[in-house]
Amino acid sequence: KNEVEQSPQNLTAQEGEFITINCSYSVGISALHWLQQHPGGGIVSLFMLSSGKKKHGRLIATINIQEKHSSLHITASHPRDSAVYICAVARYGNKLVFGAGTILRVKS
Amino acid sequence: DAGITQSPRHKVTETGTPVTLRCHQTENHRYMYWYRQDPGHGLRLIHYSYGVKDTDKGEVSDGYSVSRSKTEDFLLTLESATSSQTSVYFCAISDSGANGPLHFGNGTRLTVT
């Protein structure tokens, strides 16, 4: 079993919909990262969090340490949000373990 | 955007040849990482560095070596490239290791024929 599991693997949404991507992990962590990768593009860091909730524009990330679970929400989704969203957890130390990613497609 | 540059961006090489990928940063960040990204596996850590001449292995380090002789450069070497090392390679930097924001390079697409 992977240490980091993301769901769903693939997600198609209509423009304007509220989107949730989930990340569950099975190990103790010191931080959790959400990353975005556009097709053929580089990787951009969206959030790093160790507790609670963070918001940036239409993106919201939450984490529940006790339940070992994090969610990434996108409000009022837009076709430009189409990308792969990757969850990564920081084990105690300086290494990250990555989820396999969620492929999001937002249709206009 | 954080100043991080990978070179080359694309490379095709033959099995058995040595290959060196370069990651250069202008941010003076302490930590530098090399990852490979393959379909079905996500990103996997090859090696990382926590300072000049200080490096450690990741989960897929076999067949790879690294060097960091100065803060701004982190080199990844495939001593004798194999087809299984065909992949997209990403470098990342951070001032605080895995507990700080990460900045990624644009990737190097390596094909070993």
Side-chain angles (χ1 to χ4, degrees), chain B residues 2-108:
Chain B
I4 176 169
T5 305
Q6 289 184 232
S7 59
R9 292 295 314 277
H10 302 272
K11 186 167 182 69
V12 179
T13 193
E14 292 183 349
T15 298
T17 60
V19 176
T20 295
L21 308 183
R22 182 187 186 222
C23 179
H24 178 77
Q25 60 145 330
T26 58
E27 304 297 319
N28 202 36
H29 283 350
R30 179 181 175 192
Y31 295 87
M32 299 185 76
Y33 301 83
W34 275 110
Y35 296 98
R36 60 178 290 175
Q37 186 177 42
D38 304 289
H41 287 281
L43 285 156
R44 293 180 292 175
L45 179 66
I46 305 171
H47 283 278
Y48 77 102
S49 170
Y50 48 97
V52 173
K53 295 190 180 355
D54 292 323
T55 64
D56 199 1
K57 294 180 180 180
E59 60 187 302
V60 291
S61 59
D62 287 348
Y64 301 94
S65 62
V66 290
S67 67
R68 192 168 177 201
S69 59
K70 44 187 178 176
T71 299
E72 56 266 36
D73 289 324
F74 192 33
L75 304 180
L76 176 71
T77 297
L78 291 64
E79 300 290 347
S80 178
T82 68
S83 58
S84 65
Q85 293 176 311
T86 293
S87 186
V88 180
Y89 292 85
F90 284 97
C91 175
I93 63 174
S94 172
D95 201 34
S96 307
N99 294 315
L102 285 171
H103 306 281
F104 286 82
N106 287 327
T108 294

Side-chain angles (χ1 to χ4, degrees), chain A residues 23-74:
Chain A
C23 176
S24 297
Y25 52 93
S26 57
V27 296
I29 69 169
S30 53
L32 183 142
H33 298 253
W34 281 102
L35 310 170
Q36 179 193 56
Q37 185 175 25
H38 280 103
I43 301 169
V44 175
S45 177
L46 297 175
F47 295 102
M48 187 200 69
L49 62 168
S50 55
S51 65
K53 175 179 174 179
K54 288 190 176 180
K55 184 175 188 287
H56 181 70
R58 295 180 294 106
L59 301 178
I60 303 165
T62 64
I63 188 168
N64 185 317
I65 295 294
Q66 287 73 31
E67 294 186 2
K68 292 186 166 62
H69 182 267
S70 175
S71 293
L72 176 68
H73 305 286
I74 304 175

Side-chain angles (χ1 to χ4, degrees), chain A residues 77-92:
Chain A
S77 60
H78 190 276
R80 65 175 175 267
D81 296 325
S82 298
V84 178
Y85 292 84
I86 303 167
C87 170
V89 299
R91 302 290 304 278
Y92 294 102

